[in-house]
Every structure is written in C-alpha cells, then in structure tokens.
Amino acid sequence: MNKIALIIQREYLTRVMKRSFIIMTFLGPILMAALMIVPVYLASLSDLSERKVAILDETGWFMGKFEKGDNLSFEYVFNDLNTEKENLKAGVYDALLYIPRPDLNIPVNAELFSIRQASMNMRSYVRNVMKTEVENRKLMASGIDPDVIKSAKTNINIVTIRLDEDGGETRSFTEVEVALGIFSAILIYFFIFLFGSQVMRGVIEEKTNRIVEVIISSVKPFQLMMGKIVGVALVGLTQFLLWVLLTGIIYLLFVSVAGMEVQKGADVFGQGSVIGGQTETILQEDRGQDGVKQVMEVISSIHFGTMIFSFIFYFLGGYLLYAALFAAIGSAVDNETDTQQFMLPVSIPLILGIVLSNLIVNNPDGPLAFWFSIIPLTSPVIMMVRIPFGVPLWELALSMALLIGGFIFTTWLAAKIYRTGILMYGKKVSYAELWKWLKY
Amino acid sequence: MIFFETRQVSKRYAHHLALDKVSISVPQQSIYGLLGPNGAGKTSLIRIINQITAPDEGELLLNGKPMKPSDTAVIGYLPEERGLYKKMKVGEQALYLAQLKGISKRDARKRLGEWFEKFEITAWWNRKVEELSKGMQQKIQFIVTVIHQPDMLIFDEPFSGFDPINVNLLKDEIINLRNNGSTILFSTHNMASVEELCSHITLINSSRKIIEGRVTDVKNEHRTHAYMISMMDLHKNPVEFLPQRFIVSDSRTENDGTVNFTIQADGSEKPNELIEYFARQGVIKGFSEKMPSMNDIFIKLVNQTKPK
C-alpha cells in the first residue's frame, strides 16, 4: 500500500511540476475568462464615441423622426448633395444620410455616405426609423390607426414547468439545460481523452525507457498501473479545480476593476436588441428582462450540488474506466504510432456519446437516452447531458453502479493485458495476441 | 548450504515451452552463473524467480521454505532490459527506486550518498538522467539494485554497455557483495567473466537444464586430456618415443634445445603417471594440462543438445 502511495506521489508530482501543466493551468482560465469578457468588453469599446449623422431629406417625411440615441446624434441639413458631401469630407460630421425625392410617392431608397464604413448599428437604426415611418403613413392612408396595430401586436411567451412526482413545480428553460448538458458532456469527453492518453503515454514511456522491469521487480504490475491511473486522476482533478478557481478569480477581478464598462457593454447589447424595432421596444424590453429572470430562475432550480457531484463522479468513473483501457493499449505497443489500431474501438463509444448528445437533448427521457446513459462506456457523456433535465434517482443509481462495475471490469481486463504487455518488446501485437494474454 | 532452489519449474507460453522442469540449487554466498544461448529460457527463469511471472508447475524455495510474494524484498534484480526515467533528476530517481524497495527515505539518502561517492558520480545528483552517458546510467541502475542490501542479487548481463575500467569496478563490487554475504545469480554470455567470477554454473538450452555444478567440476568433467609440455635434453623426438595413441602437435624446438609440444592423450593415464613417463625421457621444464575454457564447454554442450 505504501508503495502504491509512492507511485501515485511520483506520477502526480512529476506531472504537476511540468512546465506544460503550469502553462495549461493558467492559460485555460485566461482563455475561459477571455471568452466571457472580451465580447462584452469589445462591444462596450466599439461604439463609445458618438457619431454625428447629417440628414439631407428631400422628401421631408422624416423631419424630426430621427432621435438622438446613446451614440448617434442627428442633424438636419438643407444644402445640395454635393456641398454636403464636401462637408462630410471636411469632417463636419461622420455620415451623411441622403433621402432623395422618390419617382413615385413613397420614399423607399436612401443613401448613407461616410468616410469609414458605416456601422451595422447605424444602418439598422436608420432603416428601422424609415420603415416605421413609411409603414405608419401607409396605414394612415388606408385609414388605419398605427396605434391599433401596435396594440394588436402580441408576444407569446411560453413558460415550461416541470411537475415533480411529489407535487413540486420547477420552471425549466430548455435552452439553458441544453447548453449546460452539452457543455458538461463535452468537458467530460475532453477530460477523459486528455488524461486517459496521458496514462497511455506514461505507460509507453516506461516501456520504451526500459524502466518497467526494474520497477516491477519491487512492485506488482497492478500496483504500478493503478498508481499511474490514480496519480493522473489527481492531476486531472487538480487541474479542474484550479481552472474553476482561477476562472472565478479572474472574472471577479475583472468585474470589480472594470465593472462599469461591463455594465455599459451590457447596455449596448440591450440597445442592440431594442433597435430591432422601435414599435416593439417596450414589449421587447419586457421580454428581455423576463428572459434573464427565467434563466436565473432555471439556473437556481438546477441542483448545482447534484450537478457538481455527478460531474466529478462521472469524470472519475469515466476516466477510470477508460484510463485502464488506455493503459492496456500503452502496454501492448512499443511506440505511440502503433496505438492507432487499438485507439479506434476505445474512442468510438466516447465519440458516439458526443454525436448522440444532440439527439438526446431533444428527448432526454427517451429509450435512446435511457440506454446510453446506463451503458458504462457511454454513460459518463450521455448522463451528463441528461442530468440538467432531471433524471429519476433509480436511473442515476443504476448508471453509477454500472459505471463502478464497468471500471472494475476494465481494470481487471487491463491488468491482465498490462502485466504481459509491458515485458513484450519489438513485437507488433494483434487482437488475437491480446486475447491470448488475457488467458495467461 | 543451499540458499535458493527451483524445483521442476515449467513455464508454457501460448505455443512455446519456455522452461521444462528446470531445477537449480544456488549455494549460499556463491556467485552462480546462469548460462545459455539466446532464447534458452534464462530470462523466463529469472522473471519467475523475481515473481514477475508465475511458473505453471514447480516450486521455488528460499532458505528451504517456499517463496512468498514478500520475499521479493530480499532480492535485488538488475534486468537485461533496463532504463531510467529520462526527465527525472538522478538523485530524485534513485531515492524513488530505493524507496520502492522498501527502505526509508532517510536510509536511502544516506546509503545513496555513500554509493555515489564510491562510484564518483556525486556531482550528478541534481542532473537529469538524459544528460548522463549510458555507462553512468548503468552505474545508477547497479546502485539501486543493491541499495537495500538484499540477500540475493540477480544480474542479467550486468556488464553490457560498460567500458573495461567500469567492468572491473563492477566486478570488484560484485565480489565485495558476495564477501559481505549476498548470494549472486548471474546471467551472461560473457564466458570470460564467468570464469573469473562464478563458483557455480548451470547451463540451460532449449528450455532444459543441461548441466549444473561447480565451475571446477564442470571443467574436470569436460577436460580433453591435452597437455602442454616443455622439455630439454630429449634423446629422441617426442613423436618417435610416444605410443601411437598420443597425438603430438605444435612441436617446436627453441634455440637452446628446449622442445615445446602438445599432446592429446586419451585419459587412460593420470597426469602424474604422464609426468613419470616423461621424466624418463629427459628433463621436464614445464608441464600443464590444457583445461577447456567455459567458452569451449558452452559451445560444445549447446551443439550437442541442439534440438533435432
């Protein structure tokens, strides 16, 4: 037992002290935080300066209709187009909107001149104002009050509520659950491959270094294999926890330092959606706030305790199951290029899990979801997709029990291949050969 | 006194019998040579002794008692296929391997310090293994094999990769270890070192034991009855006075009249009888029996027992 602890300690320390581990540990959260922060931050930066737009309206329809926004201001000009173009060039204003007198009655064309490319924001705002005004006028011409239309516009909002067996109700918001499920499934998939192949590479290293026989004269091959698997598992957990911790710290730090800007950035986003249609502004604002409220409600309704517990459980269970197989593969080959033929059957269930997860989210309680979340080879990925939607306790218990059984089985299997494989040199191993090793 | 024994040990791999009822007895404090051509089954036997693999039949006895899994603690094993973690520091790695043998970190550090000094590699303690020459890595492997002062040491081709100076250093250390009480099992193809070190040998060929015993007994058994003789004042040429059944070869007369020659007898006379006989023919300056080398015996026996 003491020796296994020594092996675990070595496996853990040599990996954790590696430069690549340290770089990954810090780079991971920075990338994660950047993914969360940068878009918001950039959005808050890009439109901070106010743009002045001159309007040359030959129709006179839009007089006073363009209102000053957060970063757009409007000025009506009345000279001819060429003079105004000169003004634009001289930098009197940032853009020139020219609405020519139409050949028919209705102005549907406009030209927007600017030195730099006009922003999407500006264009969609101009288009919306014009559209609303023209539509209103058309309605009036047909004798319909635009206010009637406005009040007739309805927004249907469906709230999904899940009834528990014991009568409780939880508001659910499918998009959040889908995102959460897929995200954790991909994370598990990624971790299993990342750390599973570390185990494999470690075994190959020991084999090609020819140190393995030195070591197994003092410890049992099984101890060496388990020590490596457990050591790498601890490395994985360390990395994961550090990532969660550091991402949190970086995010909090950023929010407290640049909190104002983020707030502003969020406002810009808010405005972006408002621009979608002035007439719907109020309704949309309502919906926007409602959406956020719903997301928050759903997030708080998901049992994060369950979520984190099952994540760690399925990560460890899935990892242990696959790491044993990876170790067996590593022991059977002489170098990494020879692993291909054995890697394929081992990776197929995992890849299948990821592919199926898109189907599972559409029907998280269907037979496909059920069976694949019970079978230990796919359950770590598929069950993580299902958990945010709520999984009956007995299914969860069955799946976990089978996963434990599964990794005990693969470990037993792997140990048999491993103890023969590590002493086999210079031999291309076939499946038939592996089958024989199982029976030694 | 027998320290270690295998009794009727057999090991079968899928289509191949690696060991066929092999029994060996290793006396205490002997240096015991385990000889045999490639693929004879030496490594299989060594792995069984180290309990890396289990025999299909037969038993292993240590001090007369069946071997237990915990008995590996009293064995030090230097495998033929050996290496170290390349990226790890020398000292750290030696400490790790020593601790795996079951000695405490403190003891390990102290003993390693002594050995490193003896082998003049103290300066390398904090260097990475990949920076070391092969010979230096071999020294470290040797050290961690003997660091727990085991009662039995198993060396599989210990001298491969060493230069002659280090081979001598290692030979001295092996003899030292034996003198300090260890029993040494030693597998090699290098027959010269067998003659130099081993007191006992066993020869395995095609999974079977061919011969076992003291080196001197083995040599006696395979003596060819060839003698090298040097004489003066011969009244006749040896070819003329010797009976037909003695074959004389390499006869050479020196300037001072000394005649050196080799005879091949058939073993019906003892050396002493031969000396008496020759003394009557002239003055004997030198008389020695040409003993077969282990190399000759090895080749002869392996060829004799070749599977048909």
Side-chain angles (χ1 to χ4, degrees):
Chain A
M1 213 48 225
N2 195 17
K3 287 180 181 174
I4 269 209
L6 260 170
I7 294 169
I8 292 173
Q9 186 192 357
R10 194 201 83 86
E11 295 292 340
Y12 181 79
L13 287 180
T14 50
R15 283 191 169 75
V16 169
M17 312 266 254
K18 259 193 198 156
R19 205 171 300 142
S20 58
F21 177 87
I22 296 166
I23 291 173
M24 273 289 274
T25 301
F26 285 99
L27 215 59
I30 288 173
L31 285 177
M32 285 286 275
L35 268 179
M36 291 194 274
I37 291 164
V38 167
V40 179
Y41 183 69
L42 284 184
S44 72
L45 274 187
S46 62
D47 269 333
L48 278 185
S49 59
E50 204 185 64
R51 294 284 173 76
K52 217 156 104 186
V53 183
I55 298 166
L56 177 56
D57 181 9
E58 290 182 352
T59 62
W61 280 31
F62 305 102
M63 202 51 96
K65 297 291 177 193
F66 288 96
E67 283 158 11
K68 189 176 170 351
D70 244 8
N71 40 34
L72 288 177
S73 68
F74 297 96
E75 192 188 325
Y76 289 87
V77 292
F78 304 98
N79 297 317
D80 68 299
L81 187 58
N82 284 332
T83 333
E84 294 304 340
K85 274 185 183 166
E86 288 306 316
N87 281 345
L88 178 65
K89 275 183 201 159
V92 180
Y93 30 75
D94 298 301
L96 169 66
L97 177 68
Y98 171 58
I99 306 169
R101 181 173 296 280
D103 299 334
L104 296 167
N105 294 342
I106 303 157
V108 289
N109 295 315
E111 287 166 351
L112 189 58
F113 298 94
S114 62
I115 305 291
R116 285 183 296 154
Q117 177 61 38
S119 69
M120 285 287 285
N121 217 345
M122 192 191 290
R123 259 174 58 194
S124 61
Y125 182 73
V126 167
R127 188 193 297 122
N128 271 308
V129 171
M130 286 180 67
K131 183 173 172 252
T132 313
E133 183 55 28
V134 172
E135 279 173 2
N136 281 352
R137 289 208 179 205
K138 279 181 174 171
L139 287 173
M140 298 250 258
S142 322
I144 301 166
D145 184 354
D147 285 341
V148 175
I149 299 290
K150 203 189 263 180
S151 62
K153 279 202 174 163
T154 322
N155 200 12
I156 307 296
N157 190 10
I158 296 176
V159 178
T160 49
I161 296 159
R162 212 165 41 222
L163 281 180
D164 293 347
E165 277 146 27
D166 44 310
E169 292 182 6
T170 21
R171 272 192 162 205
S172 61
F173 195 54
T174 316
E175 282 83 347
V176 181
E177 283 155 0
V178 168
L180 214 56
I182 299 269
F183 179 71
S184 34
I186 288 177
L187 212 57
I188 290 233
Y189 168 87
F190 171 71
F191 272 173
I192 287 178
F193 261 117
L194 184 70
F195 294 107
S197 56
Q198 276 199 26
V199 170
M200 186 177 77
R201 248 177 279 129
V203 173
I204 294 175
E205 188 205 357
E206 278 169 358
K207 205 179 155 181
T208 50
N209 272 353
R210 302 287 199 261
I211 194 171
V212 67
E213 201 166 343
V214 176
I215 292 181
I216 58 170
S217 66
S218 354
V219 302
K220 294 264 155 284
F222 182 75
Q223 290 176 310
L224 180 60
M225 185 180 93
M226 275 325 276
K228 184 175 290 296
I229 289 175
V230 173
V232 174
L234 293 178
V235 174
L237 279 182
T238 309
Q239 182 130 62
F240 177 66
L241 292 179
L242 279 176
W243 275 351
V244 169
L245 207 71
L246 284 172
T247 309
I249 289 173
I250 291 175
Y251 189 75
L252 284 179
L253 222 70
F254 185 85
V255 168
S256 64
V257 169
M260 304 295 278
E261 265 120 301
V262 174
Q263 197 50 50
K264 248 193 214 162
D267 283 349
V268 171
F269 271 167
Q271 203 197 10
S273 69
V274 170
I275 289 168
Q278 249 190 343
T279 48
E280 291 176 34
T281 306
I282 299 160
L283 273 174
Q284 270 207 335
E285 254 173 9
D286 266 7
R287 191 167 58 179
Q289 273 178 6
D290 215 31
V292 171
K293 226 166 67 193
Q294 267 187 353
V295 171
M296 295 315 288
E297 207 170 315
V298 170
I299 285 179
S300 58
S301 83
I302 290 170
H303 298 290
F304 270 93
T306 318
M307 198 64 200
I308 287 174
F309 169 76
S310 20
F311 183 85
I312 291 178
F313 181 89
Y314 279 103
F315 163 58
L316 282 180
Y319 162 81
L320 288 174
L321 184 130
Y322 278 98
L325 294 176
F326 278 116
I329 294 173
S331 74
V333 298
D334 278 340
N335 55 60
E336 236 180 302
T337 46
D338 289 346
T339 58
Q340 301 300 336
Q341 57 158 336
F342 300 115
M343 281 293 281
L344 191 68
V346 174
S347 13
I348 279 178
L350 277 175
I351 295 169
L352 186 72
I354 287 293
V355 172
L356 285 178
S357 61
N358 288 317
L359 294 174
I360 303 289
V361 290
N362 288 331
N363 190 5
D365 295 313
L368 194 72
F370 173 77
W371 286 108
F372 280 98
S373 61
I374 293 298
I375 297 168
L377 284 171
T378 48
S379 68
V381 171
I382 299 294
M383 194 51 108
M384 281 321 291
V385 177
R386 290 186 64 198
I387 280 175
F389 296 96
V391 177
L393 204 60
W394 71 269
E395 284 185 27
L396 202 60
L398 179 62
S399 161
M400 286 182 168
L402 281 178
L403 186 58
I404 293 174
F407 82 67
I408 290 172
F409 175 73
T410 57
T411 307
W412 171 81
L413 199 75
K416 291 197 141 212
I417 292 176
Y418 181 84
R419 62 166 196 214
T420 309
I422 45 172
L423 295 174
M424 229 29 110
Y425 294 114
K427 203 169 169 188
K428 271 256 180 190
V429 174
S430 63
Y431 281 103
E433 193 86 17
L434 289 187
W435 180 245
K436 263 186 262 159
W437 293 0
L438 284 181
K439 293 186 289 187
Y440 279 167
Chain B
M1 195 189 129
I2 302 302
F3 179 70
F4 171 79
E5 250 181 292
T6 70
R7 281 193 191 154
Q8 304 284 308
V9 166
S10 295
K11 177 77 185 173
R12 173 178 289 282
Y13 292 111
H15 294 296
H16 158 73
L17 189 63
L19 291 170
D20 186 7
K21 299 196 173 110
V22 173
S23 304
I24 63 168
S25 310
V26 183
Q28 184 137 31
Q29 266 192 294
S30 63
I31 299 183
Y32 189 100
L34 183 60
L35 316 179
N38 292 325
K42 286 173 299 182
T43 304
S44 295
L45 182 62
I46 288 177
R47 283 180 179 165
I48 286 171
I49 297 172
N50 278 298
Q51 305 188 20
I52 289 170
T53 49
D56 297 333
E57 283 165 44
E59 52 179 352
L60 308 173
L61 302 177
L62 192 75
N63 264 330
K65 282 180 231 122
M67 252 178 125
K68 301 183 295 291
S70 60
D71 284 338
T72 47
V74 301
I75 299 180
Y77 173 39
L78 184 70
E80 185 179 6
E81 298 282 3
R82 51 185 180 252
L84 297 165
Y85 290 110
K86 297 219 168 6
K87 302 277 175 201
M88 237 175 142
K89 284 184 182 154
V90 173
E92 213 177 297
Q93 177 147 214
L95 272 177
Y96 170 64
L97 292 171
Q99 282 176 276
L100 280 185
K101 306 266 188 196
I103 47 181
S104 73
K105 198 166 186 174
R106 246 186 71 229
D107 284 357
R109 198 181 288 277
K110 192 168 146 275
R111 288 187 209 172
L112 283 172
E114 289 162 14
W115 275 103
F116 270 53
E117 216 147 282
K118 194 186 261 180
F119 279 8
E120 296 169 348
I121 49 174
T122 312
W124 296 86
W125 184 270
N126 269 323
R127 303 289 279 274
K128 275 191 182 168
V129 170
E130 56 189 353
E131 298 171 43
L132 267 59
S133 69
K134 198 177 172 215
M136 228 168 317
Q137 295 188 26
Q138 301 266 53
K139 281 185 184 173
I140 292 159
Q141 285 153 357
F142 180 82
I143 294 173
V144 297
T145 306
V146 302
I147 193 74
H148 56 308
Q149 299 168 341
D151 295 335
M152 182 154 91
L153 281 160
I154 300 174
F155 296 120
D156 199 347
E157 291 293 350
F159 304 125
S160 66
F162 276 105
D163 62 45
I165 296 170
N166 283 323
V167 167
N168 282 336
L169 180 79
L170 220 60
K171 278 180 185 164
D172 291 346
E173 283 311 324
I174 290 176
I175 291 167
N176 264 342
L177 286 162
R178 195 265 322 267
N179 293 344
N180 290 335
S182 294
T183 303
I184 291 159
L185 190 67
F186 174 43
S187 163
T188 185
H189 289 130
N190 182 342
M191 293 302 145
S193 59
V194 171
E195 305 221 21
E196 211 176 318
L197 291 173
C198 293
S199 54
H200 297 72
I201 59 137
T202 193
L203 176 67
I204 294 178
N205 191 25
S206 312
S207 321
R208 288 207 178 83
K209 183 176 83 177
I210 305 299
I211 193 173
E212 182 182 17
R214 288 175 174 281
V215 172
T216 45
D217 295 347
V218 170
K219 282 194 167 189
N220 273 336
E221 204 177 306
H222 291 92
R223 68 209 294 191
T224 52
H225 311 291
Y227 301 91
M228 284 188 299
I229 302 160
S230 157
M231 295 188 78
M232 276 182 88
D233 299 335
L234 277 175
H235 50 87
K236 263 186 199 166
N237 193 314
V239 188
E240 290 163 35
F241 67 79
L242 273 170
Q244 282 283 303
R245 59 192 174 87
F246 291 94
I247 299 151
V248 180
S249 59
D250 296 340
S251 179
R252 208 153 31 92
T253 309
E254 306 287 332
N255 289 339
D256 62 353
T258 307
V259 184
N260 296 315
F261 59 98
T262 304
I263 61 161
Q264 180 65 58
D266 58 5
S268 45
E269 291 92 0
K270 292 204 169 72
N272 279 11
E273 290 165 0
L274 283 171
I275 291 173
E276 276 173 34
Y277 172 78
F278 279 109
R280 289 195 293 272
Q281 314 294 331
V283 179
I284 301 175
K285 277 185 75 188
F287 182 94
S288 65
E289 183 171 358
K290 218 174 154 182
M291 289 305 272
S293 68
M294 280 312 296
N295 208 32
D296 298 337
I297 298 174
F298 181 94
I299 291 168
K300 190 175 125 197
L301 284 175
V302 168
N303 283 335
Q304 270 175 11
T305 55
K306 232 182 218 164
K308 275 126 211 156

Coordinates of all heavy atoms in Angstrom, one line a residue, chain A residues 94-125:
Chain A
D94 N -19.9 62.7 -39.3 CA -19.3 61.3 -39.6 C -20.0 60.6 -40.7 O -19.4 59.8 -41.4 CB -19.4 60.4 -38.3 CG -18.6 61.0 -37.2 OD1 -17.4 61.2 -37.3 OD2 -19.2 61.3 -36.1
A95 N -21.3 61.0 -40.9 CA -22.0 60.3 -42.0 C -23.1 61.2 -42.6 O -23.5 62.1 -41.9 CB -22.6 59.0 -41.5
L96 N -23.5 60.9 -43.8 CA -24.5 61.7 -44.4 C -25.6 60.8 -44.9 O -25.3 59.9 -45.7 CB -23.9 62.5 -45.6 CG -24.8 63.2 -46.5 CD1 -25.6 64.3 -45.8 CD2 -24.1 63.8 -47.7
L97 N -26.8 61.0 -44.5 CA -27.9 60.2 -45.0 C -28.7 61.0 -46.0 O -29.2 62.1 -45.7 CB -28.8 59.8 -43.8 CG -30.1 59.0 -44.2 CD1 -29.7 57.7 -44.7 CD2 -31.0 58.9 -43.0
Y98 N -28.8 60.5 -47.2 CA -29.4 61.3 -48.3 C -30.7 60.5 -48.7 O -30.6 59.4 -49.1 CB -28.4 61.4 -49.4 CG -29.1 62.0 -50.7 CD1 -29.7 63.2 -50.7 CD2 -29.0 61.3 -51.9 CE1 -30.3 63.7 -51.8 CE2 -29.6 61.8 -53.0 CZ -30.3 63.0 -53.0 OH -30.8 63.5 -54.2
I99 N -31.8 61.2 -48.5 CA -33.1 60.5 -48.8 C -33.6 61.3 -50.0 O -34.2 62.4 -49.9 CB -34.1 60.6 -47.7 CG1 -33.5 59.9 -46.4 CG2 -35.4 59.8 -48.1 CD1 -34.3 60.1 -45.2
P100 N -33.4 60.8 -51.2 CA -33.9 61.5 -52.4 C -35.4 61.5 -52.6 O -36.1 60.6 -52.1 CB -33.2 60.7 -53.6 CG -33.0 59.4 -53.0 CD -32.9 59.4 -51.6
R101 N -35.8 62.5 -53.3 CA -37.3 62.6 -53.6 C -37.6 61.4 -54.5 O -36.9 61.2 -55.6 CB -37.6 63.9 -54.3 CG -39.0 64.1 -54.7 CD -39.3 65.5 -55.2 NE -39.0 66.5 -54.2 CZ -39.9 66.8 -53.2 NH1 -41.0 66.2 -53.1 NH2 -39.6 67.8 -52.3
P102 N -38.6 60.6 -54.2 CA -38.8 59.4 -55.0 C -39.6 59.7 -56.3 O -40.3 60.7 -56.4 CB -39.7 58.5 -54.1 CG -40.4 59.5 -53.2 CD -39.5 60.7 -53.1
D103 N -39.4 58.8 -57.3 CA -40.1 59.0 -58.5 C -41.6 58.8 -58.3 O -42.5 59.5 -58.8 CB -39.6 58.0 -59.6 CG -38.2 58.2 -59.8 OD1 -37.7 59.3 -59.6 OD2 -37.5 57.2 -60.2
L104 N -41.9 57.7 -57.5 CA -43.3 57.5 -57.2 C -43.6 58.2 -55.8 O -42.8 59.1 -55.4 CB -43.6 56.0 -57.0 CG -43.5 55.3 -58.4 CD1 -43.5 53.8 -58.2 CD2 -44.6 55.7 -59.4
N105 N -44.6 57.9 -55.2 CA -45.0 58.6 -54.0 C -44.1 58.3 -52.7 O -44.0 59.1 -51.9 CB -46.4 58.4 -53.6 CG -47.3 58.9 -54.7 OD1 -46.9 59.8 -55.5 ND2 -48.6 58.5 -54.7
I106 N -43.7 57.1 -52.7 CA -43.2 56.6 -51.4 C -41.6 56.5 -51.4 O -41.1 55.9 -52.3 CB -43.7 55.2 -51.1 CG1 -45.3 55.3 -51.1 CG2 -43.2 54.7 -49.7 CD1 -46.0 54.0 -51.3
P107 N -41.0 57.2 -50.5 CA -39.5 57.1 -50.4 C -39.1 55.7 -49.8 O -39.4 55.5 -48.7 CB -39.2 58.2 -49.5 CG -40.4 58.5 -48.7 CD -41.6 58.0 -49.4
V108 N -38.5 54.9 -50.7 CA -38.0 53.6 -50.1 C -36.5 53.5 -50.3 O -35.9 52.4 -49.9 CB -38.7 52.4 -50.8 CG1 -40.1 52.3 -50.4 CG2 -38.6 52.5 -52.3
N109 N -35.9 54.5 -50.9 CA -34.5 54.4 -51.1 C -33.8 55.5 -50.3 O -34.3 56.6 -50.2 CB -34.1 54.5 -52.5 CG -34.6 53.3 -53.3 OD1 -34.5 52.2 -52.9 ND2 -35.2 53.6 -54.4
A110 N -32.6 55.2 -49.8 CA -31.8 56.2 -49.2 C -30.3 55.9 -49.4 O -30.0 54.7 -49.6 CB -32.1 56.3 -47.7
E111 N -29.5 56.9 -49.3 CA -28.0 56.6 -49.4 C -27.3 57.1 -48.2 O -27.6 58.2 -47.7 CB -27.5 57.3 -50.7 CG -27.9 56.6 -52.0 CD -27.7 57.5 -53.2 OE1 -27.3 58.7 -53.0 OE2 -27.8 56.9 -54.3
L112 N -26.5 56.3 -47.7 CA -25.7 56.6 -46.5 C -24.3 56.8 -46.9 O -23.6 55.8 -47.2 CB -25.9 55.5 -45.4 CG -25.4 55.8 -44.0 CD1 -26.1 57.0 -43.4 CD2 -25.7 54.6 -43.1
F113 N -23.8 58.1 -46.8 CA -22.4 58.3 -47.1 C -21.6 58.4 -45.9 O -22.0 59.0 -44.9 CB -22.2 59.7 -47.9 CG -23.0 59.7 -49.2 CD1 -24.3 60.2 -49.3 CD2 -22.4 59.2 -50.4 CE1 -24.9 60.2 -50.5 CE2 -23.0 59.2 -51.6 CZ -24.3 59.7 -51.6
S114 N -20.4 57.8 -45.9 CA -19.5 58.0 -44.8 C -18.0 57.8 -45.2 O -17.8 57.2 -46.3 CB -19.8 57.0 -43.7 OG -19.7 55.7 -44.1
I115 N -17.1 58.3 -44.5 CA -15.7 58.2 -44.8 C -15.3 56.7 -44.5 O -14.8 56.0 -45.3 CB -14.8 59.2 -44.0 CG1 -15.3 60.6 -44.3 CG2 -13.3 59.0 -44.4 CD1 -15.1 61.1 -45.7
R116 N -15.6 56.4 -43.2 CA -15.3 55.0 -42.8 C -16.6 54.2 -43.0 O -17.7 54.8 -43.1 CB -14.9 54.9 -41.3 CG -13.5 55.4 -41.1 CD -13.1 55.2 -39.7 NE -13.9 56.1 -38.8 CZ -14.1 55.8 -37.5 NH1 -13.6 54.7 -37.0 NH2 -14.8 56.7 -36.8
Q117 N -16.5 52.9 -43.1 CA -17.7 52.1 -43.4 C -18.7 52.4 -42.2 O -18.3 52.3 -41.0 CB -17.3 50.6 -43.4 CG -18.4 49.6 -43.6 CD -19.2 49.9 -44.9 OE1 -18.6 50.2 -45.9 NE2 -20.5 49.7 -44.8
A118 N -19.9 52.6 -42.6 CA -21.0 52.9 -41.6 C -21.2 51.6 -40.8 O -21.2 50.5 -41.3 CB -22.2 53.3 -42.3
S119 N -21.4 51.8 -39.5 CA -21.6 50.6 -38.6 C -23.0 50.0 -38.8 O -23.9 50.6 -39.2 CB -21.4 51.0 -37.1 OG -22.5 51.8 -36.8
M120 N -23.0 48.7 -38.5 CA -24.3 47.9 -38.6 C -25.4 48.6 -37.8 O -26.5 48.8 -38.2 CB -24.1 46.5 -38.0 CG -23.3 45.6 -38.9 SD -24.3 45.1 -40.3 CE -25.4 43.9 -39.4
N121 N -24.9 49.1 -36.6 CA -25.8 49.7 -35.7 C -26.5 50.9 -36.3 O -27.7 51.1 -36.3 CB -24.9 50.2 -34.5 CG -25.6 50.1 -33.2 OD1 -26.8 49.9 -33.2 ND2 -24.8 50.2 -32.1
M122 N -25.7 51.7 -37.0 CA -26.2 53.0 -37.6 C -27.2 52.6 -38.7 O -28.3 53.2 -38.8 CB -25.0 53.8 -38.2 CG -25.3 55.2 -38.6 SD -24.0 55.9 -39.5 CE -22.7 56.1 -38.3
R123 N -26.8 51.6 -39.5 CA -27.6 51.3 -40.7 C -29.0 50.7 -40.2 O -30.0 51.1 -40.7 CB -26.9 50.2 -41.5 CG -26.3 50.8 -42.8 CD -25.5 49.8 -43.5 NE -26.3 48.7 -43.9 CZ -25.7 47.5 -44.3 NH1 -24.4 47.4 -44.4 NH2 -26.5 46.5 -44.7
S124 N -28.9 49.8 -39.3 CA -30.2 49.2 -38.9 C -31.1 50.2 -38.2 O -32.3 50.2 -38.3 CB -30.0 48.0 -38.0 OG -29.3 48.4 -36.8
Y125 N -30.5 51.2 -37.5 CA -31.3 52.2 -36.8 C -32.0 53.1 -37.9 O -33.2 53.3 -37.8 CB -30.4 53.1 -35.9 CG -31.2 54.2 -35.2 CD1 -32.0 53.8 -34.1 CD2 -31.1 55.5 -35.6 CE1 -32.8 54.8 -33.5 CE2 -31.9 56.5 -34.9 CZ -32.7 56.1 -33.9 OH -33.4 57.0 -33.2

